[in-house]
Amino acid sequence: MKLTITDACIFIDLHLLGLVVPFFELDVETHTSLDVFNELNEEQQHLLSAYQSMGKLTVHTIHHEDRIAIHKVGYPKALSEMDCTVLYLAVQLGAIVLSSDKTVRNFAKKSSIEYHGMLWILDELVVQNRIASTVAASKLRQLITSNYIYQNNAVLVKEMNKRLRIWQ
C-alpha cells in the first residue's frame, strides 16, 4: 500500500469533483497535517472528519519541535506554512506528496520526493476500478473548466488530452 501526504488543493479538487468517496477507496494510506485540514472549509472538514474517524485519513499535529525543524529546512518563501508541513511529513513518513501546487511539486522534485497530482489520482481511480473511464473523462473535463492551473500548461494539456482520448 502506498503512503501519501495530501495538501489542501487536492482535497478541494476531490470535493469539487465529487470524488472524495472513491479516493478513500483507493489502495493508498492517506495522511495530511492539521494545518492543511484547518485550511479547508467547514463542509470539506466535516466530510474528511468522517474518513478520519474510520481510520482512512490520518491527520498529524505539528508540534513545536517539528516547527523548529521545518524552519531549519529552509523551504522557499513561496511555500506556505501548510505546504511546508506537507513536505516535512512526506520526508518523515517516506510518503508520496499529492499536490497540484507547482511550488510544492517543484520542491518535491528538487528534493527527490515522489509527487503526483490529480491526473495520477484519476489514473489510479480508473486502474483500481473505483470509477469508470468515462466518469474519469467527465471529471477531467470538469477539472479543466473549473481550475485555471489545468488550462494553460502545455505539458498538462498534452497529458490531459492523452487521457481524454483513452478514457472516452
Side-chain angles (χ1 to χ4, degrees), residues 2-135:
K2 295 175 183 170
L3 185 69
T4 64
I5 182 83
T6 307
D7 73 359
C9 61
I10 292 294
F11 286 131
I12 291 165
D13 285 342
L14 289 169
H15 186 262
L16 172 77
L17 298 172
L19 291 174
V20 173
V21 172
F23 173 77
F24 281 104
E25 292 173 349
L26 287 174
D27 189 26
V28 296
E29 184 179 326
T30 305
H31 295 250
T32 197
S33 70
L34 184 59
D35 299 60
V36 167
F37 185 85
N38 288 335
E39 199 175 6
L40 302 170
N41 70 34
E42 189 176 326
E43 181 182 346
Q44 294 159 345
Q45 288 178 356
H46 181 72
L47 183 58
L48 292 179
S49 291
Y51 289 98
Q52 185 180 11
S53 67
M54 293 187 299
K56 293 189 174 266
L57 173 65
T58 303
V59 178
H60 296 266
T61 301
I62 304 298
H63 299 286
H64 180 69
E65 301 81 26
D66 297 314
R67 294 201 189 278
I68 291 170
I70 287 169
H71 288 289
K72 286 182 179 177
V73 171
Y75 292 108
K77 292 187 188 310
L79 290 170
S80 71
E81 186 79 19
M82 288 68 78
D83 295 335
C84 293
T85 67
V86 167
L87 291 161
Y88 174 78
L89 286 170
V91 170
Q92 298 304 306
L93 300 171
I96 298 167
V97 171
L98 295 182
S99 177
S100 300
D101 184 291
K102 185 177 180 179
T103 309
V104 171
R105 293 165 61 90
N106 284 344
F107 188 86
K109 182 178 182 178
K110 180 180 142 206
S111 303
S112 300
I113 300 168
E114 186 176 350
Y115 63 93
H116 298 289
M118 282 302 300
L119 294 181
W120 180 85
I121 292 169
L122 288 167
D123 288 341
E124 288 296 306
L125 289 169
V126 171
V127 167
Q128 294 186 32
N129 294 313
R130 302 302 181 216
I131 62 172
S133 58
T134 54
V135 172

